[in-house]
Amino acid sequence: MTPLLAVTVLGDDRPGIVAETTALLAGLGGNLEDSTMTLLRGHFAMVLVVRVDASAGELEAALAPLASDGSLDVAVRAVAEGAAAAGGGTAYLLSVHGGDRPGIVSAVMAQVARVRGNVTDLTTRLSGELYVLLAELDLPAGADVEALRASLAAVSRELGVDASLRELDADVL
């Protein structure tokens, strides 16, 4: 079977990074199976999962032109096939808003971990003094959602932030 590889590209943002990266992958016959990209305080961050007939070392060498000026770091590693089949629980959206302070993500996510919830997507932003956290969660069947809401409310009071947890509609593709 053709290997499944994860590619991370991090560094200084500039126009064309996505186009250049995907052109190199397409040139190798790579098929993008999953991807995410964002700017973190103006720094480019992208993770791709690609199926390509190459080893991690061969793909990293093929992507080396992206990093030749030193503005980007590119890394490639093999990923397991079974890792793509995560989930199976119920999807929830956790949102947290409030004044910025260290430890918000840690304290909130500890509550999620206690019910064996899995974070499937996480975004945080600092807008002035307002800290915003949005997390998509996969809560396992049988998770006590009301107990989680209560523990999130308690932690939120301690942190001086507001938190809400709501069930998401199932993805429709």
Side-chain angles (χ1 to χ4, degrees), residues 82-165:
T90 304
Y92 283 83
L93 176 65
L94 171 63
S95 60
V96 178
H97 303 83
D100 186 32
R101 62 178 282 181
I104 293 173
V105 176
S106 172
V108 169
M109 291 307 160
Q111 305 312 306
V112 174
R114 284 191 179 116
V115 298
R116 305 196 51 81
N118 188 32
V119 179
T120 58
D121 193 42
L122 172 67
T123 300
T124 62
R125 292 277 188 255
L126 182 59
S127 178
E129 297 297 318
L130 179 66
Y131 190 80
V132 178
L133 176 156
L134 297 172
E136 290 182 21
L137 310 174
D138 184 60
L139 299 182
D144 189 340
V145 176
E146 291 312 312
L148 175 58
R149 283 189 173 107
S151 67
L152 289 168
V155 166
S156 296
R157 279 191 299 278
E158 292 172 14
L159 295 169
V161 298
D162 294 318
S164 67
L165 179 68

Side-chain angles (χ1 to χ4, degrees), residues 9 11-13 27 30 42 57 59-60 64-65 75 80 85 97 128 143 146 152-153:
V9 182
D12 300 335
D13 188 37
L59 183 56
E60 196 164 290
H97 303 83
E146 291 312 312
L152 289 168

Side-chain angles (χ1 to χ4, degrees), residues 34-57:
D34 210 350
S35 66
T36 187
M37 179 256 137
T38 193
L39 293 178
L40 301 170
R41 290 285 187 185
H43 299 280
F44 183 86
M46 180 168 66
V47 179
L48 309 165
V49 175
V50 60
R51 188 170 303 280
V52 61
D53 191 17
S55 71

